[in-house]
Amino acid sequence: MASPVPAVGGVLEEARRLYRQTFGSCPQVEVCAPGRVNLIGEHTDYNDGFVLPMALALVTVVVGSPDPGRAVTIVTANQDVEEPRRVEFNLPSDGSPLSPGKPGWANYVKGVVQHYRAPPVPGFKAVIASSVPLGGGLSSSASLEVAVYTFLQQLQPDDGDAVAKAVACQQAEHTHAGVPCGIMDQLVSVLGQEAHALLIDCRSMEATPIPLSDPSVVILITNSNVKHSLTGSEYPARRKQCMEAASVLGRQSLRDATLEDLEDARSRMDEVTYRRARHVILEIQRTVRGSEFLKKGFYEEFGKLMVESHDSLRDLYEVSCGELDQLVSAALEVDGVFGSRMTGGGFGGCTVTLLQAHAVDKAILHMQMLNLNSTESNSNNGSVHDPVSLNVGGELYATTLDTL
Ligand code: ADP
Ligand code: MG
């Protein structure tokens, strides 16, 4: 297997270097927050359902120092964002809201400042660097929000708990980035533990750690290299369709509906709404069953649910894309693979595959072949780099095949 991912150390060094170069001193505060991979439970969080994500050793780092006065200066090391990469703004002194604007990436920071639970936030200067791929379905956005929140906590402690922190970060994404996301990404970024998945009940916000410590099993993350944009209309449209379905069913949310309820009401909703609701109702069931399987080490059974989940996201929820489908099909052709599915909001991003450790190299090669082929055929952006292995601690590890 290939070289380790640039873990926290590498990104931290990058952030420190850029900070020294930009501000001519060393940062006083250094924090980080992880990205995540969702094992199962897609598009269920905003339906009050269950999700089963796991924090990754891919992180967003924020380093910085307080700045006297009301000025904020932020710089991102990421080349992959809208220019400019250095942004300055003033914190309103009269309590008026901090408006979103251009460039888009700075809105994630402004949103967190706006929703920070212990205002007024002092002025600061900071550098952001991340090993989470942007727009790759591994939640660079939540890791940025949570890292910024943690940074602010170091400047001025707040009184909230972990859930309040996650909710504030979710609010930031709603109001300032325009993405009406559920709570999964922020909650796992705040609460995720090494070598554990987290079963989250998105209604009660209860999070139950599920140990993953089987050295013979691997979670493989593969980047399709197709960038999604969740700020488009598709994500809000899905959310709206789910609310419509719940309203036809006379339920607060799809969490409260059964498949029987849905079948009874089928004639009272259009076909698309029916399909969206069917995905959500069954996906919530799959997630709860899946967490039990994972706890017991029933990987075959869990893998089957992953495949069902992918098929449902492709056919009923319609958030997959050709590249993700191809990667999943390729993975499923390899001996020793239990299951594979797209992960994250969809329309691009990554797949996640559960497989036996001895099958990892074969699976990577098989998917790389496919990626090379599709790179040739759709002249994407060129080269495929070495696969990168990522140790998420403990004995079970995740591997990313990063083709960015
Ligand atoms: P995902 O969360 O799956 O990576 P999103 O579309 O939700 O994808 O969030 C990606 C956006 O978050 C980026 O386009 C950018 O605006 C912002 N972002 C994330 N990480 C950084 C970073 N390190 N620097 C600047 N902006 C970032
Ligand atoms: Mg995101």
Side-chain angles (χ1 to χ4, degrees), residues 255-274:
R255 162 77 177 269
D256 305 313
T258 64
L259 211 50
E260 292 71 40
D261 296 335
L262 183 66
E263 293 306 327
D264 288 347
R266 188 167 185 172
S267 60
R268 290 187 277 122
M269 60 179 78
D270 64 55
E271 182 59 22
V272 171
T273 309
Y274 166 80

Side-chain angles (χ1 to χ4, degrees), residues 43 234 238 241 271-273 275-276 279 310-321 342 345-347:
H43 290 276
E234 294 287 353
R238 294 299 181 287
Q241 286 157 345
E271 182 59 22
V272 171
T273 309
R275 280 195 268 129
R276 304 296 190 248
H279 163 76
H310 183 79
D311 291 350
S312 174
L313 288 159
R314 182 192 59 211
D315 301 335
L316 298 179
Y317 220 66
E318 297 179 279
V319 290
S320 188
C321 64
M342 55 156 274
F347 310 107

Side-chain angles (χ1 to χ4, degrees), residues 334-349:
V334 177
D335 266 357
V337 167
F338 297 115
S340 185
R341 58 183 288 276
M342 55 156 274
T343 184
F347 310 107

Side-chain angles (χ1 to χ4, degrees), residues 354-372:
L354 185 72
L355 73 174
Q356 288 172 350
H358 68 75
V360 168
D361 289 350
K362 237 189 316 170
I364 288 175
L365 268 177
H366 200 60
M367 287 196 261
Q368 260 184 332
M369 286 287 294
L370 171 125
N371 203 288
L372 276 173

Side-chain angles (χ1 to χ4, degrees), residues 64-88:
S65 307
D67 209 9
R70 313 283 307 149
V72 171
T73 308
I74 42 168
V75 181
T76 177
N78 203 296
Q79 312 279 335
D80 216 10
V81 294
E82 188 184 345
E83 295 283 345
R85 291 194 286 127
R86 175 189 174 126
V87 172
E88 290 174 38

Side-chain angles (χ1 to χ4, degrees), residues 96-148:
S96 58
L98 198 54
S99 310
K102 293 273 177 194
W105 67 267
N107 293 332
Y108 293 85
V109 180
K110 288 180 183 169
V112 174
V113 168
Q114 177 69 47
H115 292 282
Y116 189 63
R117 290 172 53 90
V121 167
F124 64 89
K125 45 193 182 183
V127 164
I128 299 157
S130 187
S131 53
V132 188
L134 271 56
L138 301 183
S139 204
S140 68
S141 58
S143 69
L144 172 56
E145 291 148 10
V146 173
V148 170

Side-chain angles (χ1 to χ4, degrees), residues 36 108 139-142 173 185 228 230:
R36 60 99 187 96
Y108 293 85
S139 204
S140 68
S141 58
E173 189 144 344
D185 300 353
H228 69 194
L230 297 181

Side-chain angles (χ1 to χ4, degrees), residues 241-254 269 273 277:
Q241 286 157 345
C242 291
M243 283 168 64
E244 274 165 24
S247 138
V248 173
L249 293 168
R251 299 284 191 277
Q252 191 191 329
S253 73
L254 288 176
M269 60 179 78
T273 309

